[in-house]
PDB file of all heavy atoms in Angstrom:
ATOM      1  N   ALA A   1       2.350 -18.355  -1.082  1.00  0.00           N
ATOM      2  CA  ALA A   1       3.564 -17.774  -1.669  1.00  0.00           C
ATOM      3  C   ALA A   1       3.312 -16.347  -2.147  1.00  0.00           C
ATOM      4  O   ALA A   1       4.188 -15.485  -2.053  1.00  0.00           O
ATOM      5  CB  ALA A   1       4.055 -18.643  -2.826  1.00  0.00           C
ATOM      6  N   ALA A   2       2.096 -16.068  -2.641  1.00  0.00           N
ATOM      7  CA  ALA A   2       1.778 -14.730  -3.122  1.00  0.00           C
ATOM      8  C   ALA A   2       1.590 -13.736  -1.971  1.00  0.00           C
ATOM      9  O   ALA A   2       1.878 -12.553  -2.121  1.00  0.00           O
ATOM     10  CB  ALA A   2       0.511 -14.767  -3.981  1.00  0.00           C
ATOM     11  N   ALA A   3       1.121 -14.230  -0.827  1.00  0.00           N
ATOM     12  CA  ALA A   3       0.800 -13.334   0.291  1.00  0.00           C
ATOM     13  C   ALA A   3       1.904 -13.210   1.329  1.00  0.00           C
ATOM     14  O   ALA A   3       1.963 -12.219   2.048  1.00  0.00           O
ATOM     15  CB  ALA A   3      -0.476 -13.809   0.984  1.00  0.00           C
ATOM     16  N   MET A   4       2.779 -14.209   1.429  1.00  0.00           N
ATOM     17  CA  MET A   4       3.771 -14.237   2.498  1.00  0.00           C
ATOM     18  C   MET A   4       5.184 -14.087   1.934  1.00  0.00           C
ATOM     19  O   MET A   4       5.485 -14.569   0.850  1.00  0.00           O
ATOM     20  CB  MET A   4       3.685 -15.551   3.277  1.00  0.00           C
ATOM     21  CG  MET A   4       2.316 -15.857   3.861  1.00  0.00           C
ATOM     22  SD  MET A   4       1.732 -14.654   5.062  1.00  0.00           S
ATOM     23  CE  MET A   4       2.899 -14.894   6.390  1.00  0.00           C
ATOM     24  N   ASN A   5       6.055 -13.419   2.710  1.00  0.00           N
ATOM     25  CA  ASN A   5       7.441 -13.245   2.309  1.00  0.00           C
ATOM     26  C   ASN A   5       8.292 -13.254   3.566  1.00  0.00           C
ATOM     27  O   ASN A   5       8.317 -12.271   4.311  1.00  0.00           O
ATOM     28  CB  ASN A   5       7.601 -11.925   1.542  1.00  0.00           C
ATOM     29  CG  ASN A   5       8.988 -11.735   0.975  1.00  0.00           C
ATOM     30  OD1 ASN A   5       9.982 -12.055   1.599  1.00  0.00           O
ATOM     31  ND2 ASN A   5       9.038 -11.197  -0.232  1.00  0.00           N
ATOM     32  N   ASP A   6       8.955 -14.382   3.847  1.00  0.00           N
ATOM     33  CA  ASP A   6       9.836 -14.505   5.007  1.00  0.00           C
ATOM     34  C   ASP A   6       9.129 -14.125   6.305  1.00  0.00           C
ATOM     35  O   ASP A   6       9.667 -13.394   7.131  1.00  0.00           O
ATOM     36  CB  ASP A   6      11.094 -13.649   4.799  1.00  0.00           C
ATOM     37  CG  ASP A   6      12.191 -13.978   5.824  1.00  0.00           C
ATOM     38  OD1 ASP A   6      12.246 -15.128   6.290  1.00  0.00           O
ATOM     39  OD2 ASP A   6      12.975 -13.059   6.152  1.00  0.00           O
ATOM     40  N   GLY A   7       7.895 -14.602   6.463  1.00  0.00           N
ATOM     41  CA  GLY A   7       7.124 -14.316   7.672  1.00  0.00           C
ATOM     42  C   GLY A   7       6.320 -13.035   7.614  1.00  0.00           C
ATOM     43  O   GLY A   7       5.502 -12.764   8.489  1.00  0.00           O
ATOM     44  N   TRP A   8       6.554 -12.220   6.609  1.00  0.00           N
ATOM     45  CA  TRP A   8       5.799 -10.978   6.423  1.00  0.00           C
ATOM     46  C   TRP A   8       4.535 -11.262   5.623  1.00  0.00           C
ATOM     47  O   TRP A   8       4.576 -11.942   4.603  1.00  0.00           O
ATOM     48  CB  TRP A   8       6.623  -9.942   5.665  1.00  0.00           C
ATOM     49  CG  TRP A   8       7.764  -9.358   6.420  1.00  0.00           C
ATOM     50  CD1 TRP A   8       9.065  -9.755   6.381  1.00  0.00           C
ATOM     51  CD2 TRP A   8       7.707  -8.249   7.321  1.00  0.00           C
ATOM     52  NE1 TRP A   8       9.830  -8.970   7.208  1.00  0.00           N
ATOM     53  CE2 TRP A   8       9.022  -8.029   7.795  1.00  0.00           C
ATOM     54  CE3 TRP A   8       6.685  -7.411   7.774  1.00  0.00           C
ATOM     55  CZ2 TRP A   8       9.325  -7.010   8.696  1.00  0.00           C
ATOM     56  CZ3 TRP A   8       6.991  -6.397   8.658  1.00  0.00           C
ATOM     57  CH2 TRP A   8       8.295  -6.208   9.116  1.00  0.00           C
ATOM     58  N   PHE A   9       3.402 -10.716   6.068  1.00  0.00           N
ATOM     59  CA  PHE A   9       2.145 -10.812   5.339  1.00  0.00           C
ATOM     60  C   PHE A   9       1.950  -9.533   4.527  1.00  0.00           C
ATOM     61  O   PHE A   9       1.945  -8.437   5.069  1.00  0.00           O
ATOM     62  CB  PHE A   9       0.967 -10.989   6.303  1.00  0.00           C
ATOM     63  CG  PHE A   9      -0.375 -10.946   5.639  1.00  0.00           C
ATOM     64  CD1 PHE A   9      -0.711 -11.882   4.676  1.00  0.00           C
ATOM     65  CD2 PHE A   9      -1.301  -9.968   5.979  1.00  0.00           C
ATOM     66  CE1 PHE A   9      -1.959 -11.848   4.057  1.00  0.00           C
ATOM     67  CE2 PHE A   9      -2.543  -9.924   5.368  1.00  0.00           C
ATOM     68  CZ  PHE A   9      -2.878 -10.865   4.405  1.00  0.00           C
ATOM     69  N   ARG A  10       1.827  -9.702   3.227  1.00  0.00           N
ATOM     70  CA  ARG A  10       1.592  -8.568   2.328  1.00  0.00           C
ATOM     71  C   ARG A  10       0.091  -8.292   2.306  1.00  0.00           C
ATOM     72  O   ARG A  10      -0.665  -9.054   1.737  1.00  0.00           O
ATOM     73  CB  ARG A  10       2.098  -8.906   0.935  1.00  0.00           C
ATOM     74  CG  ARG A  10       3.572  -9.270   0.912  1.00  0.00           C
ATOM     75  CD  ARG A  10       4.023  -9.666  -0.458  1.00  0.00           C
ATOM     76  NE  ARG A  10       3.785  -8.539  -1.366  1.00  0.00           N
ATOM     77  CZ  ARG A  10       4.281  -8.464  -2.588  1.00  0.00           C
ATOM     78  NH1 ARG A  10       5.025  -9.440  -3.057  1.00  0.00           N
ATOM     79  NH2 ARG A  10       4.043  -7.432  -3.338  1.00  0.00           N
ATOM     80  N   THR A  11      -0.327  -7.196   2.935  1.00  0.00           N
ATOM     81  CA  THR A  11      -1.756  -6.956   3.146  1.00  0.00           C
ATOM     82  C   THR A  11      -2.519  -6.569   1.887  1.00  0.00           C
ATOM     83  O   THR A  11      -3.738  -6.744   1.826  1.00  0.00           O
ATOM     84  CB  THR A  11      -1.973  -5.834   4.176  1.00  0.00           C
ATOM     85  OG1 THR A  11      -1.497  -4.599   3.634  1.00  0.00           O
ATOM     86  CG2 THR A  11      -1.269  -6.151   5.493  1.00  0.00           C
ATOM     87  N   GLY A  12      -1.827  -5.984   0.900  1.00  0.00           N
ATOM     88  CA  GLY A  12      -2.536  -5.467  -0.273  1.00  0.00           C
ATOM     89  C   GLY A  12      -3.071  -4.067  -0.048  1.00  0.00           C
ATOM     90  O   GLY A  12      -3.667  -3.470  -0.935  1.00  0.00           O
ATOM     91  N   ASP A  13      -2.854  -3.527   1.159  1.00  0.00           N
ATOM     92  CA  ASP A  13      -3.258  -2.159   1.464  1.00  0.00           C
ATOM     93  C   ASP A  13      -2.084  -1.217   1.234  1.00  0.00           C
ATOM     94  O   ASP A  13      -0.938  -1.558   1.526  1.00  0.00           O
ATOM     95  CB  ASP A  13      -3.698  -2.023   2.925  1.00  0.00           C
ATOM     96  CG  ASP A  13      -4.998  -2.740   3.208  1.00  0.00           C
ATOM     97  OD1 ASP A  13      -5.929  -2.617   2.395  1.00  0.00           O
ATOM     98  OD2 ASP A  13      -5.092  -3.420   4.251  1.00  0.00           O
ATOM     99  N   VAL A  14      -2.384  -0.032   0.736  1.00  0.00           N
ATOM    100  CA  VAL A  14      -1.379   1.015   0.575  1.00  0.00           C
ATOM    101  C   VAL A  14      -1.533   1.965   1.756  1.00  0.00           C
ATOM    102  O   VAL A  14      -2.634   2.377   2.094  1.00  0.00           O
ATOM    103  CB  VAL A  14      -1.580   1.788  -0.748  1.00  0.00           C
ATOM    104  CG1 VAL A  14      -0.559   2.911  -0.871  1.00  0.00           C
ATOM    105  CG2 VAL A  14      -1.489   0.840  -1.929  1.00  0.00           C
ATOM    106  N   GLY A  15      -0.404   2.288   2.403  1.00  0.00           N
ATOM    107  CA  GLY A  15      -0.471   3.184   3.549  1.00  0.00           C
ATOM    108  C   GLY A  15       0.858   3.834   3.824  1.00  0.00           C
ATOM    109  O   GLY A  15       1.834   3.641   3.104  1.00  0.00           O
ATOM    110  N   LEU A  16       0.884   4.605   4.904  1.00  0.00           N
ATOM    111  CA  LEU A  16       2.119   5.247   5.339  1.00  0.00           C
ATOM    112  C   LEU A  16       2.083   5.410   6.846  1.00  0.00           C
ATOM    113  O   LEU A  16       1.021   5.395   7.457  1.00  0.00           O
ATOM    114  CB  LEU A  16       2.322   6.593   4.644  1.00  0.00           C
ATOM    115  CG  LEU A  16       1.246   7.675   4.819  1.00  0.00           C
ATOM    116  CD1 LEU A  16       1.505   8.522   6.049  1.00  0.00           C
ATOM    117  CD2 LEU A  16       1.224   8.571   3.592  1.00  0.00           C
ATOM    118  N   VAL A  17       3.261   5.541   7.435  1.00  0.00           N
ATOM    119  CA  VAL A  17       3.387   5.834   8.859  1.00  0.00           C
ATOM    120  C   VAL A  17       3.978   7.235   8.954  1.00  0.00           C
ATOM    121  O   VAL A  17       5.018   7.525   8.379  1.00  0.00           O
ATOM    122  CB  VAL A  17       4.293   4.805   9.571  1.00  0.00           C
ATOM    123  CG1 VAL A  17       4.478   5.182  11.030  1.00  0.00           C
ATOM    124  CG2 VAL A  17       3.700   3.403   9.457  1.00  0.00           C
ATOM    125  N   ASP A  18       3.267   8.107   9.696  1.00  0.00           N
ATOM    126  CA  ASP A  18       3.738   9.484   9.794  1.00  0.00           C
ATOM    127  C   ASP A  18       4.800   9.627  10.886  1.00  0.00           C
ATOM    128  O   ASP A  18       5.162   8.657  11.551  1.00  0.00           O
ATOM    129  CB  ASP A  18       2.570  10.456   9.997  1.00  0.00           C
ATOM    130  CG  ASP A  18       1.856  10.296  11.336  1.00  0.00           C
ATOM    131  OD1 ASP A  18       2.445   9.726  12.285  1.00  0.00           O
ATOM    132  OD2 ASP A  18       0.710  10.758  11.437  1.00  0.00           O
ATOM    133  N   GLY A  19       5.291  10.836  11.064  1.00  0.00           N
ATOM    134  CA  GLY A  19       6.358  11.099  12.019  1.00  0.00           C
ATOM    135  C   GLY A  19       5.993  10.818  13.465  1.00  0.00           C
ATOM    136  O   GLY A  19       6.876  10.651  14.310  1.00  0.00           O
ATOM    137  N   ASP A  20       4.694  10.741  13.759  1.00  0.00           N
ATOM    138  CA  ASP A  20       4.242  10.444  15.124  1.00  0.00           C
ATOM    139  C   ASP A  20       3.947   8.963  15.333  1.00  0.00           C
ATOM    140  O   ASP A  20       3.486   8.570  16.404  1.00  0.00           O
ATOM    141  CB  ASP A  20       2.984  11.265  15.444  1.00  0.00           C
ATOM    142  CG  ASP A  20       3.255  12.761  15.443  1.00  0.00           C
ATOM    143  OD1 ASP A  20       4.347  13.163  15.903  1.00  0.00           O
ATOM    144  OD2 ASP A  20       2.382  13.519  14.979  1.00  0.00           O
ATOM    145  N   GLY A  21       4.178   8.155  14.293  1.00  0.00           N
ATOM    146  CA  GLY A  21       3.954   6.716  14.417  1.00  0.00           C
ATOM    147  C   GLY A  21       2.542   6.259  14.128  1.00  0.00           C
ATOM    148  O   GLY A  21       2.187   5.121  14.410  1.00  0.00           O
ATOM    149  N   PHE A  22       1.724   7.124  13.539  1.00  0.00           N
ATOM    150  CA  PHE A  22       0.355   6.746  13.192  1.00  0.00           C
ATOM    151  C   PHE A  22       0.327   6.127  11.800  1.00  0.00           C
ATOM    152  O   PHE A  22       0.922   6.659  10.861  1.00  0.00           O
ATOM    153  CB  PHE A  22      -0.574   7.961  13.207  1.00  0.00           C
ATOM    154  CG  PHE A  22      -0.950   8.428  14.572  1.00  0.00           C
ATOM    155  CD1 PHE A  22      -0.156   9.339  15.243  1.00  0.00           C
ATOM    156  CD2 PHE A  22      -2.097   7.960  15.192  1.00  0.00           C
ATOM    157  CE1 PHE A  22      -0.498   9.786  16.499  1.00  0.00           C
ATOM    158  CE2 PHE A  22      -2.452   8.398  16.452  1.00  0.00           C
ATOM    159  CZ  PHE A  22      -1.653   9.311  17.118  1.00  0.00           C
ATOM    160  N   LEU A  23      -0.388   5.022  11.671  1.00  0.00           N
ATOM    161  CA  LEU A  23      -0.561   4.356  10.382  1.00  0.00           C
ATOM    162  C   LEU A  23      -1.806   4.918   9.710  1.00  0.00           C
ATOM    163  O   LEU A  23      -2.870   4.997  10.318  1.00  0.00           O
ATOM    164  CB  LEU A  23      -0.722   2.849  10.581  1.00  0.00           C
ATOM    165  CG  LEU A  23      -1.074   2.029   9.333  1.00  0.00           C
ATOM    166  CD1 LEU A  23       0.064   2.070   8.325  1.00  0.00           C
ATOM    167  CD2 LEU A  23      -1.403   0.597   9.714  1.00  0.00           C
ATOM    168  N   ARG A  24      -1.653   5.295   8.451  1.00  0.00           N
ATOM    169  CA  ARG A  24      -2.792   5.780   7.672  1.00  0.00           C
ATOM    170  C   ARG A  24      -2.943   4.908   6.444  1.00  0.00           C
ATOM    171  O   ARG A  24      -1.987   4.689   5.704  1.00  0.00           O
ATOM    172  CB  ARG A  24      -2.589   7.239   7.256  1.00  0.00           C
ATOM    173  CG  ARG A  24      -3.808   7.818   6.535  1.00  0.00           C
ATOM    174  CD  ARG A  24      -3.829   9.327   6.519  1.00  0.00           C
ATOM    175  NE  ARG A  24      -2.685   9.924   5.894  1.00  0.00           N
ATOM    176  CZ  ARG A  24      -2.631  10.269   4.601  1.00  0.00           C
ATOM    177  NH1 ARG A  24      -3.655  10.048   3.810  1.00  0.00           N
ATOM    178  NH2 ARG A  24      -1.553  10.817   4.112  1.00  0.00           N
ATOM    179  N   ILE A  25      -4.137   4.385   6.242  1.00  0.00           N
ATOM    180  CA  ILE A  25      -4.438   3.583   5.059  1.00  0.00           C
ATOM    181  C   ILE A  25      -4.811   4.540   3.944  1.00  0.00           C
ATOM    182  O   ILE A  25      -5.710   5.372   4.091  1.00  0.00           O
ATOM    183  CB  ILE A  25      -5.605   2.606   5.309  1.00  0.00           C
ATOM    184  CG1 ILE A  25      -5.381   1.782   6.579  1.00  0.00           C
ATOM    185  CG2 ILE A  25      -5.837   1.722   4.086  1.00  0.00           C
ATOM    186  CD1 ILE A  25      -4.228   0.846   6.538  1.00  0.00           C
ATOM    187  N   VAL A  26      -4.143   4.418   2.803  1.00  0.00           N
ATOM    188  CA  VAL A  26      -4.386   5.310   1.672  1.00  0.00           C
ATOM    189  C   VAL A  26      -5.317   4.664   0.658  1.00  0.00           C
ATOM    190  O   VAL A  26      -6.223   5.304   0.137  1.00  0.00           O
ATOM    191  CB  VAL A  26      -3.049   5.697   0.997  1.00  0.00           C
ATOM    192  CG1 VAL A  26      -3.285   6.540  -0.235  1.00  0.00           C
ATOM    193  CG2 VAL A  26      -2.150   6.425   1.981  1.00  0.00           C
ATOM    194  N   ASP A  27      -5.122   3.384   0.399  1.00  0.00           N
ATOM    195  CA  ASP A  27      -5.885   2.738  -0.669  1.00  0.00           C
ATOM    196  C   ASP A  27      -5.616   1.240  -0.654  1.00  0.00           C
ATOM    197  O   ASP A  27      -4.845   0.741   0.164  1.00  0.00           O
ATOM    198  CB  ASP A  27      -5.463   3.317  -2.026  1.00  0.00           C
ATOM    199  CG  ASP A  27      -6.621   3.399  -3.023  1.00  0.00           C
ATOM    200  OD1 ASP A  27      -7.577   2.610  -2.899  1.00  0.00           O
ATOM    201  OD2 ASP A  27      -6.567   4.252  -3.914  1.00  0.00           O
ATOM    202  N   ARG A  28      -6.254   0.539  -1.567  1.00  0.00           N
ATOM    203  CA  ARG A  28      -5.933  -0.851  -1.853  1.00  0.00           C
ATOM    204  C   ARG A  28      -5.056  -0.855  -3.094  1.00  0.00           C
ATOM    205  O   ARG A  28      -5.228  -0.018  -3.983  1.00  0.00           O
ATOM    206  CB  ARG A  28      -7.202  -1.662  -2.155  1.00  0.00           C
ATOM    207  CG  ARG A  28      -8.072  -1.958  -0.982  1.00  0.00           C
ATOM    208  CD  ARG A  28      -7.510  -3.003  -0.067  1.00  0.00           C
ATOM    209  NE  ARG A  28      -7.377  -4.298  -0.715  1.00  0.00           N
ATOM    210  CZ  ARG A  28      -6.618  -5.286  -0.242  1.00  0.00           C
ATOM    211  NH1 ARG A  28      -5.919  -5.133   0.858  1.00  0.00           N
ATOM    212  NH2 ARG A  28      -6.535  -6.438  -0.864  1.00  0.00           N
ATOM    213  N   ILE A  29      -4.114  -1.789  -3.165  1.00  0.00           N
ATOM    214  CA  ILE A  29      -3.227  -1.847  -4.331  1.00  0.00           C
ATOM    215  C   ILE A  29      -4.029  -1.969  -5.618  1.00  0.00           C
ATOM    216  O   ILE A  29      -3.715  -1.325  -6.612  1.00  0.00           O
ATOM    217  CB  ILE A  29      -2.208  -2.999  -4.190  1.00  0.00           C
ATOM    218  CG1 ILE A  29      -1.142  -2.577  -3.191  1.00  0.00           C
ATOM    219  CG2 ILE A  29      -1.589  -3.363  -5.531  1.00  0.00           C
ATOM    220  CD1 ILE A  29      -0.092  -3.607  -2.924  1.00  0.00           C
ATOM    221  N   LYS A  30      -5.097  -2.748  -5.584  1.00  0.00           N
ATOM    222  CA  LYS A  30      -5.877  -2.910  -6.805  1.00  0.00           C
ATOM    223  C   LYS A  30      -6.624  -1.629  -7.180  1.00  0.00           C
ATOM    224  O   LYS A  30      -7.126  -1.505  -8.280  1.00  0.00           O
ATOM    225  CB  LYS A  30      -6.843  -4.088  -6.685  1.00  0.00           C
ATOM    226  CG  LYS A  30      -7.912  -3.925  -5.631  1.00  0.00           C
ATOM    227  CD  LYS A  30      -8.768  -5.167  -5.549  1.00  0.00           C
ATOM    228  CE  LYS A  30      -9.810  -5.033  -4.462  1.00  0.00           C
ATOM    229  NZ  LYS A  30     -10.633  -6.226  -4.343  1.00  0.00           N
ATOM    230  N   ASP A  31      -6.713  -0.651  -6.258  1.00  0.00           N
ATOM    231  CA  ASP A  31      -7.350   0.629  -6.556  1.00  0.00           C
ATOM    232  C   ASP A  31      -6.334   1.721  -6.875  1.00  0.00           C
ATOM    233  O   ASP A  31      -6.663   2.904  -6.866  1.00  0.00           O
ATOM    234  CB  ASP A  31      -8.230   1.070  -5.379  1.00  0.00           C
ATOM    235  CG  ASP A  31      -9.515   0.255  -5.288  1.00  0.00           C
ATOM    236  OD1 ASP A  31      -9.936  -0.300  -6.318  1.00  0.00           O
ATOM    237  OD2 ASP A  31     -10.080   0.168  -4.201  1.00  0.00           O
ATOM    238  N   VAL A  32      -5.100   1.322  -7.133  1.00  0.00           N
ATOM    239  CA  VAL A  32      -4.079   2.281  -7.529  1.00  0.00           C
ATOM    240  C   VAL A  32      -4.045   2.339  -9.058  1.00  0.00           C
ATOM    241  O   VAL A  32      -4.001   1.313  -9.729  1.00  0.00           O
ATOM    242  CB  VAL A  32      -2.694   1.896  -6.965  1.00  0.00           C
ATOM    243  CG1 VAL A  32      -1.608   2.792  -7.531  1.00  0.00           C
ATOM    244  CG2 VAL A  32      -2.712   1.987  -5.442  1.00  0.00           C
ATOM    245  N   ILE A  33      -4.114   3.545  -9.581  1.00  0.00           N
ATOM    246  CA  ILE A  33      -4.148   3.766 -11.027  1.00  0.00           C
ATOM    247  C   ILE A  33      -2.726   4.036 -11.504  1.00  0.00           C
ATOM    248  O   ILE A  33      -1.997   4.810 -10.895  1.00  0.00           O
ATOM    249  CB  ILE A  33      -5.074   4.958 -11.346  1.00  0.00           C
ATOM    250  CG1 ILE A  33      -6.490   4.673 -10.816  1.00  0.00           C
ATOM    251  CG2 ILE A  33      -5.084   5.248 -12.851  1.00  0.00           C
ATOM    252  CD1 ILE A  33      -7.362   5.893 -10.707  1.00  0.00           C
ATOM    253  N   ASN A  34      -2.331   3.379 -12.590  1.00  0.00           N
ATOM    254  CA  ASN A  34      -0.994   3.545 -13.152  1.00  0.00           C
ATOM    255  C   ASN A  34      -1.115   4.341 -14.449  1.00  0.00           C
ATOM    256  O   ASN A  34      -1.477   3.814 -15.492  1.00  0.00           O
ATOM    257  CB  ASN A  34      -0.366   2.176 -13.416  1.00  0.00           C
ATOM    258  CG  ASN A  34       1.072   2.280 -13.871  1.00  0.00           C
ATOM    259  OD1 ASN A  34       1.558   3.352 -14.209  1.00  0.00           O
ATOM    260  ND2 ASN A  34       1.749   1.160 -13.896  1.00  0.00           N
ATOM    261  N   ARG A  35      -0.806   5.626 -14.369  1.00  0.00           N
ATOM    262  CA  ARG A  35      -0.927   6.516 -15.526  1.00  0.00           C
ATOM    263  C   ARG A  35       0.468   6.961 -15.947  1.00  0.00           C
ATOM    264  O   ARG A  35       1.148   7.666 -15.225  1.00  0.00           O
ATOM    265  CB  ARG A  35      -1.787   7.718 -15.149  1.00  0.00           C
ATOM    266  CG  ARG A  35      -2.092   8.654 -16.295  1.00  0.00           C
ATOM    267  CD  ARG A  35      -3.020   9.759 -15.820  1.00  0.00           C
ATOM    268  NE  ARG A  35      -3.489  10.572 -16.913  1.00  0.00           N
ATOM    269  CZ  ARG A  35      -4.237  11.643 -16.760  1.00  0.00           C
ATOM    270  NH1 ARG A  35      -4.616  12.020 -15.561  1.00  0.00           N
ATOM    271  NH2 ARG A  35      -4.607  12.339 -17.804  1.00  0.00           N
ATOM    272  N   ASN A  36       0.905   6.507 -17.099  1.00  0.00           N
ATOM    273  CA  ASN A  36       2.254   6.823 -17.605  1.00  0.00           C
ATOM    274  C   ASN A  36       3.340   6.478 -16.599  1.00  0.00           C
ATOM    275  O   ASN A  36       4.331   7.179 -16.466  1.00  0.00           O
ATOM    276  CB  ASN A  36       2.357   8.313 -17.969  1.00  0.00           C
ATOM    277  CG  ASN A  36       1.738   8.626 -19.308  1.00  0.00           C
ATOM    278  OD1 ASN A  36       1.708   7.790 -20.201  1.00  0.00           O
ATOM    279  ND2 ASN A  36       1.212   9.824 -19.455  1.00  0.00           N
ATOM    280  N   GLY A  37       3.137   5.383 -15.857  1.00  0.00           N
ATOM    281  CA  GLY A  37       4.128   4.965 -14.868  1.00  0.00           C
ATOM    282  C   GLY A  37       3.998   5.670 -13.534  1.00  0.00           C
ATOM    283  O   GLY A  37       4.659   5.294 -12.566  1.00  0.00           O
ATOM    284  N   GLU A  38       3.143   6.674 -13.432  1.00  0.00           N
ATOM    285  CA  GLU A  38       2.893   7.371 -12.167  1.00  0.00           C
ATOM    286  C   GLU A  38       1.772   6.644 -11.430  1.00  0.00           C
ATOM    287  O   GLU A  38       0.737   6.337 -12.016  1.00  0.00           O
ATOM    288  CB  GLU A  38       2.479   8.828 -12.416  1.00  0.00           C
ATOM    289  CG  GLU A  38       3.527   9.660 -13.105  1.00  0.00           C
ATOM    290  CD  GLU A  38       4.619  10.144 -12.173  1.00  0.00           C
ATOM    291  OE1 GLU A  38       4.590   9.802 -10.972  1.00  0.00           O
ATOM    292  OE2 GLU A  38       5.516  10.853 -12.647  1.00  0.00           O
ATOM    293  N   LYS A  39       1.977   6.383 -10.145  1.00  0.00           N
ATOM    294  CA  LYS A  39       0.971   5.696  -9.334  1.00  0.00           C
ATOM    295  C   LYS A  39       0.047   6.727  -8.690  1.00  0.00           C
ATOM    296  O   LYS A  39       0.502   7.671  -8.056  1.00  0.00           O
ATOM    297  CB  LYS A  39       1.639   4.856  -8.247  1.00  0.00           C
ATOM    298  CG  LYS A  39       2.641   3.837  -8.795  1.00  0.00           C
ATOM    299  CD  LYS A  39       1.960   2.748  -9.577  1.00  0.00           C
ATOM    300  CE  LYS A  39       2.891   1.612  -9.915  1.00  0.00           C
ATOM    301  NZ  LYS A  39       3.387   1.610 -11.247  1.00  0.00           N
ATOM    302  N   ILE A  40      -1.252   6.509  -8.858  1.00  0.00           N
ATOM    303  CA  ILE A  40      -2.259   7.434  -8.338  1.00  0.00           C
ATOM    304  C   ILE A  40      -3.203   6.655  -7.429  1.00  0.00           C
ATOM    305  O   ILE A  40      -3.846   5.702  -7.867  1.00  0.00           O
ATOM    306  CB  ILE A  40      -3.063   8.071  -9.491  1.00  0.00           C
ATOM    307  CG1 ILE A  40      -2.116   8.745 -10.488  1.00  0.00           C
ATOM    308  CG2 ILE A  40      -4.118   9.028  -8.964  1.00  0.00           C
ATOM    309  CD1 ILE A  40      -2.754   9.044 -11.830  1.00  0.00           C
ATOM    310  N   ALA A  41      -3.306   7.065  -6.176  1.00  0.00           N
ATOM    311  CA  ALA A  41      -4.247   6.440  -5.249  1.00  0.00           C
ATOM    312  C   ALA A  41      -5.639   6.994  -5.538  1.00  0.00           C
ATOM    313  O   ALA A  41      -5.864   8.204  -5.430  1.00  0.00           O
ATOM    314  CB  ALA A  41      -3.846   6.722  -3.812  1.00  0.00           C
TER     315      ALA A  41
END
């Protein structure tokens, strides 16, 4: 239940897809720092 949502697997990785369709891994969610509500990878 913690990892799956309607067939989607929540990887725990933070990333983005750029304009060319490339996936870039930025960080792990547990390695994201929350400073005054701002998220810092």
Side-chain angles (χ1 to χ4, degrees):
M4 304 298 294
N5 186 320
D6 193 29
W8 289 96
F9 174 61
R10 302 177 59 167
T11 66
D13 291 316
V14 178
L16 59 88
V17 176
D18 67 20
D20 296 322
F22 284 88
L23 173 65
R24 185 161 59 93
I25 309 295
V26 176
D27 214 334
R28 287 286 297 163
I29 284 179
K30 64 183 178 181
D31 286 336
V32 172
I33 301 163
N34 186 348
R35 185 177 188 184
N36 281 331
E38 298 281 2
K39 304 292 190 259
I40 305 163

